[in-house]
Amino acid sequence: MAPSVPHSSSVPLLTSEANEKYANVNWEELGFSLIPTDYMYMSKCKQGESFSEGEIVPYGDIPISPCAGILNYGQGLFEGLKAYRTEDGRITLFRPDQNAFRMQTGADRLCMTSPSSDQFVQAVKKTVLANKKWVPPPGKGSLYIRPLLIGTGAVLGIASAPEYTFLMYVSPVGNYHTASSGLNLIVDHTYRRAHTGGTGGVKSCTNYSPVVKPLFEAKSSGFSDILFLDAATGRNIEEVSTCNIFITKGNIVSTPPTSGTILPGITRKSISELARDIGYQVQERDVSVEELLEAEEVFCTGTAMVVKAVETVTFHDKKIKYRTGEEALSTKLHLMLTNIQMGIVEDKKSWMVEINGCDE
Amino acid sequence: MAPSVPHSSSVPLLTSEANEKYANVNWEELGFSLIPTDYMYMSKCKQGESFSEGEIVPYGDIPISPCAGILNYGQGLFEGLKAYRTEDGRITLFRPDQNAFRMQTGADRLCMTSPSSDQFVQAVKKTVLANKKWVPPPGKGSLYIRPLLIGTGAVLGIASAPEYTFLMYVSPVGNYHTASSGLNLIVDHTYRRAHTGGTGGVKSCTNYSPVVKPLFEAKSSGFSDILFLDAATGRNIEEVSTCNIFITKGNIVSTPPTSGTILPGITRKSISELARDIGYQVQERDVSVEELLEAEEVFCTGTAMVVKAVETVTFHDKKIKYRTGEEALSTKLHLMLTNIQMGIVEDKKSWMVEINGCDE
Ligand SMILES: Cc1ncc(COP(=O)(O)O)c(C=O)c1O
Ligand SMILES: Cc1ncc(COP(=O)(O)O)c(C=O)c1O
């Protein structure tokens, strides 16, 4: 199904640039809140069957059964990735196969049928193409893509829903990095995010509403975000509400392992690789609070922020300050990754996927 | 707002009995799956405002933003309670104020606005009245009521949704107790349900989809349900996927405490009171697996099943058998509670709330 984008058959097809038009958005003021766009992607599948090709439909409310698995039992996963507009006019994606894979892992945990990797990536491409004019100009931000896989079938007892919906919408977002200085995190002593034998290792919707309250409390106290400790011992650091965490000391970069309680971030994985490329030793292992307090540098990674330095961590009544700025490893890694994402340096790792046109 | 039920102004208003008609349901074959009825209740509220009186509307799909808090971040709570038709033709509810209160506690944890207790109970009454003909005949089952409080406003970053929906639908369900003999539980060694600092103590949708997989696995191996251990130590029992658990030894009845990782069941609370009334000592405290294995009797409580004996518990390769049947305390407690619920004995505790008519 061809997306109903500017290149309709009634418009003479010139080059994609000639047809290209930007949506009426103030690109200078992009943040991270929803700007509804023209189209979204929808596909449904019954339990025990597979997803077939979905459709691009106008963006808007969807009808859902009050008895749907997602509304009653939280049977839902989401993903988050970005489309970039490069200086030479291409539109690209960053490692969408990794999001596809993560959705599959999550679908297995929540007993849902998942789209195949190929279906996932094709759906992302279609959705971006249909909303091409919402991809910000180079340097102004990116198009955030939000795939959802939700149980939409009606189910009364606790069980997997009889129908799933794979849906995707987008919103232009700004560059998080430039928006503020380093993060000021607070270590939470009351709330925990995830436990072994739970769903912390997948991008399940169930991991997020429980975080709204601690996050709100942290922000009300002037912090940027929360650093969660592990639920089992309360001694090791896990992750921040929507990003992974790294600490550095000398040549060693350490980050908590993906053993089921933290999200295996795609940025985390990519940054680990880049850090190794420039000679750092990257260790995935339990990181205690003590080590955190003695680190030279702390930074977070995630699709929204890419890489972001942590300026301070507050633990009980201690407030630790870390290295940030030009000399920081996080600054270097941020540049390395965004240069790849924006097509400024050669993509030797084949991380970027180009969206060529609407017959993609 | 009057529900659009058989008593419409064009029909001569006789007694409520004279207008009463049963829906076309095979009352002998009721289970616990959704039978859609005529009407549901809907009310919306913006963040920072309060719920006003809702509406009875035809049962059916609701329109929802793809960016809604419930679809993306699991911002949702549910409740479950029942309406009973007594032998003398009244329709009653069991302790609906308790469900109202539990929803308020949950709304606080998930940063949502909750309806007041009064609004909650009125909404339940309206919804039941509108669906009166779906309340099964005495002894054949009950009308299960499912209130939902969900974040329906669009939200892109992790935060509370800007709009909440309070919704309620119903389904006639059968008597769980008569449907099968005692429960055969398996103690789960892989999955955990909840952790301290999480949402295990509220009826958040986020506690349920993570349980679908272990429950499915247990059922596939021939068990009725799963018994979860605590996430912190794995040494104490917590609860079953949708019910609380009690063990007995001599005159002592023990049940895990409601300290944030198990749901404070309304049946649990009521059964504790009834057990005390007949001379048992009820202890709310940590209950270890060892004690479970040495108990004389084990039983579960919940709205769906009321009280149900556990016939066996499987722990690793041990399978323990417990007392069930006529002599069991659970049988006695089940009768005591259902006699109150069905209006067979006097309701000395004022637990039952009568629904008098449609001008309620
Ligand atoms: C809890 C959590 N941790 C980490 C991340 C970072 O993952 P990624 O780098 O794939 O965006 C995210 C979200 O994106 C998240 O929600
Ligand atoms: C996890 C869980 N525990 C216990 C219960 C029992 O609570 P109640 O007796 O209020 O129905 C329920 C549900 O009803 C539940 O979902």
Side-chain angles (χ1 to χ4, degrees), chain A residues 62 64 72-74 169 195 209, chain B residues 62 64 72-74 169 195 209:
Chain A
I62 58 166
I64 191 168
N72 292 261
Y73 304 130
Y169 61 91
H195 59 273
S209 66
Chain B
I62 58 166
I64 191 168
N72 292 260
Y73 303 131
Y169 62 90
H195 59 274
S209 66

Side-chain angles (χ1 to χ4, degrees), chain B residues 254-331:
Chain B
S254 308
T255 191
T258 52
S259 44
T261 54
I262 69 161
L263 194 77
I266 295 159
T267 323
R268 173 187 177 281
K269 186 175 172 177
S270 310
I271 283 296
S272 295
E273 197 171 324
L274 293 176
R276 284 193 183 104
D277 287 354
I278 56 170
Y280 284 84
Q281 190 185 324
V282 180
Q283 302 183 344
E284 306 200 15
R285 57 171 178 84
D286 287 343
V287 176
S288 69
V289 172
E290 286 71 42
E291 276 188 89
L292 167 76
L293 302 181
E294 286 161 13
E296 289 161 6
E297 204 179 304
V298 178
F299 59 86
C300 290
T301 64
T303 294
M305 62 180 56
V306 191
V307 182
K308 182 102 182 154
V310 173
E311 211 170 297
T312 67
V313 167
T314 299
F315 178 72
H316 291 297
D317 47 8
K318 270 195 209 125
K319 186 172 198 143
I320 316 291
K321 233 181 129 29
Y322 300 98
R323 183 172 60 219
T324 59
E326 290 305 305
E327 295 307 304
L329 173 62
S330 60
T331 307

